Amino acid sequence: MRNAWKLALLGIAAAALAGCSTSALQVADVGSYHVGGRAVTLTGLPEKELVFTPGAPPLTFDPNGDFEVEGLYARYTRLANPKGRYPLLLWHGGGLSGVTWETKPDGQPGWENHFLRAGWDVYVSDAVERGRASWARYPEIFKSEPFFRPKKEGWELFRIGETGSYDTDPAKRRALPGTQFPVASFDQFAKQAIPRWSTNDAATQAAYDAYVQKACPCVIVVHSQGGNFAFNSALKYPDKVRAIVAVETSGSPNPETTDFARLKGVPMLWVWGDNLERYPFWTRITAQQENFRQRLIAAGGTGDRLLLPELGWRGNSHMLMMDRNSDAIAERVDQWLAKQGLKR
């Protein structure tokens, strides 16, 4: 009887260990790098006397000299046995950084984790001027002053609440009925907001192009402002970008002048949330993106669309990768990528 119990307990333990091993990520490599940018030499700036650390003596600081600026930061996790044929690059939107794809504001795992567990090598980046990318002086290098997104803009522009529904007091904010965004975590989300510049698009594009040359062939999943950069990189390197998933992209090259023949071999999927028709800004954005998508199809390319309300999924915000049903959306994206032959 004792032997039988021992065997039973060993069986339970083995089953538990087997369950752990199947859920654990088998990671081959984790790392990061900076890519792109340029060297700049500054001269003629006045010296200053500074105290760098409390209690330390003053030091004369000379701001002149050589600097590396306008680079991009990328962090990657590579699996031991990936199912994706190419790495998945996650590009963020305006006033945000790669944190967009990491742990969600409500503490749940983000899309980085989801796609790793779906079998993809995943790269998360901070574009020029964001996060851990290299910064630069203003106005000597960055030509305009930075601007900062107030919480009101994030609440309303990102379609969490109607225009005029934000209040400093969280209890007085009025969210859209049925919103999928975790409203109780909005202030936590707002901590991700960082400054951006309106004059750095060329430098940002150059850094993304260098990133594509280094990290690809690849699949790009891109959000909001980042869409224009991803489309332009694909136009330059259609042999390196194997697919684009355009998540609520707010910009793209001019559909009237784009050479879609260069993009017809790059399958694309546009993903849209809910309540777009409530906001004139988003009505204009989606019209331009639909023009771009239709022209891609007319040129013989793949331009699919995942409009979540058509699936009966209501309440998704602009930050749909943070919404409560974001895992189900990511699964749809993964299925689409598999359909394109991009998974083993």
Side-chain angles (χ1 to χ4, degrees):
M1 181 64 71
R2 289 180 181 176
N3 287 338
W5 274 108
K6 287 181 180 180
L7 289 172
L9 290 171
L10 286 172
I12 293 170
L17 289 172
C20 290
S21 65
T22 56
S23 63
L25 288 173
Q26 301 298 315
V27 175
D29 190 21
V30 175
S32 65
Y33 53 77
H34 288 82
V35 63
R38 60 192 177 100
V40 174
T41 300
L42 295 179
T43 59
L45 297 170
E47 295 183 345
K48 294 183 178 181
E49 188 174 85
L50 299 174
V51 175
F52 286 101
T53 304
L59 182 71
T60 299
F61 174 71
D62 183 355
N64 300 288
D66 299 334
F67 300 88
E68 290 292 327
V69 301
E70 298 173 352
L72 174 151
Y73 171 83
R75 176 180 56 77
Y76 58 82
T77 303
R78 298 173 183 150
L79 301 177
N81 296 292
K83 297 178 183 177
R85 295 185 180 276
Y86 308 100
L88 199 71
L89 276 53
L90 302 177
W91 295 12
H92 60 76
L96 297 169
S97 68
V99 175
T100 292
W101 310 103
E102 298 175 4
T103 305
K104 292 184 283 190
D106 62 358
Q108 296 299 309
W111 275 19
E112 177 186 28
N113 185 288
H114 183 96
F115 283 110
L116 282 168
R117 294 191 177 281
W120 297 89
D121 292 343
V122 177
Y123 287 53
V124 177
S125 56
D126 295 342
V128 173
E129 81 194 20
R130 315 289 177 83
R132 286 181 281 183
S134 55
W135 282 40
R137 285 182 64 105
Y138 149 75
E140 292 82 10
I141 300 171
F142 290 174
K143 297 304 181 185
S144 66
E145 66 181 12
F147 59 95
F148 299 76
R149 170 172 288 126
K151 288 159 69 173
K152 180 180 188 297
E153 184 187 75
W155 177 271
E156 297 173 1
L157 187 64
F158 291 176
R159 307 196 313 279
I160 299 168
E162 296 272 17
T163 301
S165 67
Y166 176 81
D167 195 278
T168 302
D169 182 353
K172 296 180 180 178
R173 297 170 192 164
R174 303 187 310 278
L176 287 167
T179 181
Q180 292 284 353
F181 189 88
V183 173
S185 301
F186 176 77
D187 287 345
Q188 183 67 26
F189 163 63
K191 298 177 191 296
Q192 298 183 16
I194 51 180
R196 58 180 289 193
W197 281 256
S198 61
T199 51
N200 286 343
D201 279 5
T204 302
Q205 187 67 65
Y208 270 128
D209 290 346
Y211 182 33
V212 166
Q213 289 177 289
K214 180 177 178 66
C216 299
C218 61
V219 171
I220 300 174
V221 177
V222 61
H223 180 238
S224 198
Q225 180 216 16
N228 186 60
F229 301 124
F231 294 135
N232 275 312
S233 288
L235 279 164
K236 293 175 184 175
Y237 310 109
D239 59 322
K240 289 185 173 290
V241 179
R242 299 303 167 88
I244 292 177
V245 178
V247 180
E248 293 242 343
T249 49
S250 59
S252 63
N254 186 345
E256 310 299 325
T257 58
T258 298
D259 182 5
F260 286 97
R262 293 185 60 79
L263 294 176
K264 66 180 182 180
V266 182
M268 300 187 189
L269 172 69
W270 277 259
V271 184
W272 297 104
D274 198 5
N275 297 306
L276 295 160
E277 71 286 349
R278 291 174 178 258
Y279 301 79
F281 174 84
W282 286 108
T283 301
R284 294 194 299 271
I285 290 294
T286 52
Q288 185 204 32
Q289 291 296 300
E290 186 62 13
N291 186 4
F292 193 93
R293 187 178 78 90
Q294 291 296 339
R295 287 175 180 268
L296 173 64
I297 294 171
T302 298
D304 293 333
R305 185 178 70 165
L306 183 59
L307 183 58
L308 298 179
E310 291 182 349
L311 302 178
W313 298 2
R314 309 297 311 195
N316 281 107
S317 71
H318 180 53
M319 305 304 298
L320 54 80
M321 73 292 295
M322 299 177 184
D323 288 344
R324 287 190 294 268
N325 62 344
S326 61
D327 283 355
I329 300 169
E331 180 59 31
R332 290 286 182 138
V333 170
D334 185 61
Q335 291 171 3
W336 181 85
L337 292 171
K339 186 178 177 181
Q340 309 311 309
L342 296 170
K343 293 191 76 172
R344 297 181 178 89

